[in-house]
Amino acid sequence: MLPVLAVIIVWRTVKSLLMDDYDYEAWGYLSLPNGARITLNHWENIIGRSKASDVYMEYPTLSRSHAALIRDNKGRWQLYDLGSKSGVLLNGVPVRNRAPVKNGDILTMGGVELVFFTISHPEQAAIEHERKRPGKVVRPFGTLLFLMLFQVALGLQLCISMDAALPPAVPVSFVALIALTWLCYILTRTLRRVAFEVETLAFFLCSVGLAVTASAAPGDLYKQIGFILAGICLYFLIGWFLRDLGRAVKLRWPIAVAGLVLLAVNLLLSRSIFGAKNWLTIGGVTFQPSEFVKLAFVFAGAATLDRLFARRNLILFIAYSGICVMALAVMGDFGTALVFFVAYLTISFIRSGDLATVFLSIGGAGLAGFMAITLKAHVAERFATWGHVWQEVNGSGFQQTRTMMASASGGLFGVGAGNGWFKHIFAADTDMVFGMVSEELGLIVGVVVIFALLALAFNAVRAASTARSSFYVIGAGASAAILLFQMILNVFGSLDILPFTGVTLPFVSKGGSSLIACWGLLAFIKAIDTRKNASFVVRTPNNVSKKEQRLQEKQRPEEDDDDGEFDDFEPEFDDDDYDFSRDFDFGDVFDKDDE
């Protein structure tokens, strides 16, 4: 039953993600000279003749990326000149840096006049009413019933296999997991949110992980349930935090600095275990700080479009990434350092689109990796063993050869949860967990676990085109890259397809730090989903506060007293080659008080 139920759960979830439409939202319009209207589908819109632009206009007088029209989360719009050759005019006045835009303003770019119109709250509500709600094709309630059957079957199988030696923690922990699954679903429904795909995949993976803990270390079951609960709380906390984009942008660097402090404390106070100083004990609680630094790293890398214009932000992020990777290398945790590096490559490419920078970074990482192999004995040993584990069956290849034997002995359907022998091998429930899952639950369930993580990454990629802000796109992309690459390193490393790095399998490996951090990363993936009433992270027009409605109404023509105040925002210079990002922080205007 277990392989069949696992396939049904993941298939229904992926089908829901594939068949539901990711509709674009509407936040304003640009009226062309011929009377046609172009809808502004994002809070951040690049205007130009490049087909990659958000507002594509095939006028030869326009630059490829001519200007940007950006809305903050309070409904205020700003116009930026992106260094265009012909310049940008707002109501006939040149825009040197940026200028606030109101309803009915005339934007002139390359001789082309565009009229800007905002969408009022009633109009937004009407458009939102026409959008399709997710969950019509595949009901999340039905998928959760299959998930509950999977959880019950897992628990029963463990109870049967343990028989007289059954600790009460096994049935209690699975009942608790089922209760947490439905409580989370009820909470999202209470918040009037109907999509539950990413949460379903996470709970499916946690169910497999709980079975691994019950089989290998039943004494840790209560702690594992506590970790799942803590992860869910962090998931909703970060989701609430991301709900206000302005708040998230303001605090991204304080959070990033907190991550560096955590790494520094780890370097100073931790002890070396198996060649790596990646564990820290405070007040009797042992945890892995680098797992939580991943969240700070994603926050540091994510940025709104206006802040991407300033080169100093990218330079700061590159420096921050280098410090994190170097600190992890000094600790000897090269598996996590590699995960951070892949996240850096993902973020830097999404931010800049510059492949040259990516290849240069890869070259630098290759040199650093060579030095690590030379200087760190345990890293060199792992690379020396790679591809030759069967020559060191009782030596350096002990764990990987046993992982492959266990994976093969489980066959397609497994020997049954709790009935395997591989659980007695060191790190079977953490770094080598894929072998344990394949042995006890079967190769089918093991492959379905991989597809569940692939589905999370696919969801982030598919939803990127409809996201409101680049902040959400970068955050979700980096989170998906971290989860996906960890899965690749864990599975392929344990099977000797890649060098063994000792990273965990997201949501499945036993332990608290990784599990809680994975739930935190899941919030970023949820935040990119702008389907109607899909994500509690996204505030829909129907839920806009009265204060924000008043701000939107101030943009209407009858309240627009064009007194030229926006001229105060324009610096006095005419040099086209001037790097305005050097002196201006594009986020300052958005940080001002409403008045």
Side-chain angles (χ1 to χ4, degrees), residues 302-354:
T304 50
L305 184 62
D306 58 293
R307 293 179 183 268
L308 296 185
F309 297 155
R311 295 176 185 173
R312 66 179 182 182
N313 284 308
L314 182 58
I315 293 172
L316 284 173
F317 173 67
I318 292 174
Y320 183 81
S321 303
I323 294 173
C324 288
V325 173
M326 288 175 60
L328 290 167
V330 172
M331 294 177 196
D333 191 357
F334 287 95
T336 305
L338 192 57
V339 172
F340 270 72
F341 179 68
V342 169
Y344 157 74
L345 292 180
T346 304
I347 293 172
S348 61
F349 179 70
I350 295 176
R351 291 183 65 149
S352 66
D354 187 4

Side-chain angles (χ1 to χ4, degrees), residues 18 56 134 148 176 181 206 243 269 292 303 316 367 385 419 426 448 500 520 584:
L18 283 173
Y56 166 64
M148 185 174 68
T181 304
C206 286
R243 189 176 174 87
L269 301 181
F292 300 103
L316 284 173
L367 178 61
T385 306
N419 290 329
F426 176 74
V448 170
F500 178 65
F584 292 92

Side-chain angles (χ1 to χ4, degrees), residues 387-442:
H388 306 284
V389 293
W390 292 104
Q391 299 173 15
E392 298 287 341
V393 175
N394 294 316
S396 56
F398 181 86
Q399 287 177 292
Q400 288 154 294
T401 53
R402 269 59 179 183
T403 301
M404 288 185 274
M405 282 190 266
S407 301
S409 64
L412 292 177
F413 302 101
V415 298
N419 290 329
W421 56 268
F422 184 66
K423 60 187 176 184
H424 302 295
I425 302 298
F426 176 74
D429 53 359
T430 53
D431 301 344
M432 324 297 293
V433 72
F434 182 76
M436 187 172 173
V437 171
S438 298
E439 181 201 20
E440 297 196 356
L441 305 182

